[in-house]
Amino acid sequence: MGSDVALLLQTANFAAEKHKRQRRKDVEKTPYINHPIGVATILSQEAGITDVVVLQAALLHDTVEDTNTTFLEIEEHFGPEVRKIVEEVTDDKTLAKMERKKQQIEHAPHCSYNAKLVKLADKLYNLRDLNRSIPKGWSELRVQEYFRWSSEVVNGLRGTNAVLEKTLQQLFTERRIPVQAD
């Protein structure tokens, strides 16, 4: 167990270094590192995930997308399994925003189980964050659209983790987002 703890601390430190100058878009401009730590915490505490590789990927899930980190760097530091999950959940920032959103919806059902876990926890964190504090410059309509789009992504992840899916469904219900029929 000691080596698992050491690995998670090493991963959290790496992510913190990579995200150290970044802030969330909320009114408080929360340090960005709160997000990956929060995603890993949701997986651990709410979903009961103890797989260190999944928790490491959660901590690193935005490093390639939002910093100068490469997939090779992830693999060199944390191994090919972590790299694979991070790669699956990373958007291609060379694409237009709407194309990235479309690809997330299309790609979700084809992700590995571990990547689906990270995506579910990521969506849950982001939606809770939007309920807590609307980002500067966002309208209520934009927030509602984000919830609608997130529900489409989550529909492609169903059957992965009942606890996370139930919690997400409660958020969608509160926002009056219709449930997709199977």
Side-chain angles (χ1 to χ4, degrees):
M1 183 60 152
S3 62
D4 287 350
V5 171
L7 272 175
L8 287 174
L9 289 171
Q10 175 192 5
T11 308
N13 186 66
F14 181 92
E17 284 295 320
K18 292 295 185 170
H19 292 294
K20 70 182 171 190
R21 289 185 173 81
Q22 296 175 324
R23 299 284 179 178
R24 294 284 283 176
K25 295 177 183 176
D26 58 5
V27 176
E28 299 90 0
K29 295 184 178 176
T30 310
Y32 193 87
I33 191 61
N34 292 11
H35 171 65
I37 291 171
V39 171
T41 301
I42 287 170
L43 286 169
S44 173
Q45 292 182 356
E46 296 181 50
I49 303 303
T50 58
D51 185 334
V52 173
V53 168
V54 174
L55 298 174
Q56 285 179 287
L59 289 166
L60 299 167
H61 79 275
D62 279 337
T63 54
V64 173
E65 191 173 314
D66 294 339
T67 75
N68 64 355
T69 308
T70 65
F71 292 120
L72 181 59
E73 190 176 1
I74 297 288
E75 185 169 339
E76 287 171 347
H77 287 277
F78 306 105
E81 289 179 89
V82 174
R83 176 204 171 129
K84 182 183 181 304
I85 299 167
V86 172
E87 210 162 2
E88 285 186 83
V89 300
T90 298
D91 285 349
D92 180 351
K93 287 285 197 126
T94 65
L95 300 174
K97 184 178 182 178
M98 293 311 292
E99 181 59 27
R100 289 194 313 264
K101 286 178 164 264
K102 180 181 165 206
Q103 281 195 1
Q104 273 201 46
I105 294 167
E106 292 171 356
H107 182 63
H110 308 290
C111 288
S112 68
Y113 170 75
N114 290 338
K116 287 179 178 182
L117 285 170
V118 173
K119 287 181 92 53
L120 284 169
D122 182 40
K123 290 292 175 247
L124 181 53
Y125 184 97
N126 284 335
L127 295 175
R128 285 175 172 166
D129 211 33
L130 281 173
N131 276 339
R132 181 188 63 77
S133 175
I134 295 176
K136 188 175 181 179
W138 280 43
S139 65
E140 185 55 45
L141 177 62
R142 184 171 177 189
V143 172
Q144 190 69 7
E145 286 300 317
Y146 187 90
F147 269 81
R148 257 191 219 100
W149 166 74
S150 293
S151 75
E152 291 183 60
V153 175
V154 168
N155 282 335
L157 303 170
R158 294 205 184 275
T160 303
N161 183 282
V163 173
L164 295 181
E165 292 166 42
K166 181 180 178 186
T167 305
L168 282 157
Q169 191 54 55
Q170 289 170 339
L171 292 175
F172 297 139
T173 300
E174 289 168 10
R175 287 277 178 166
R176 294 182 173 81
I177 306 291
V179 178
Q180 179 178 322
D182 289 332

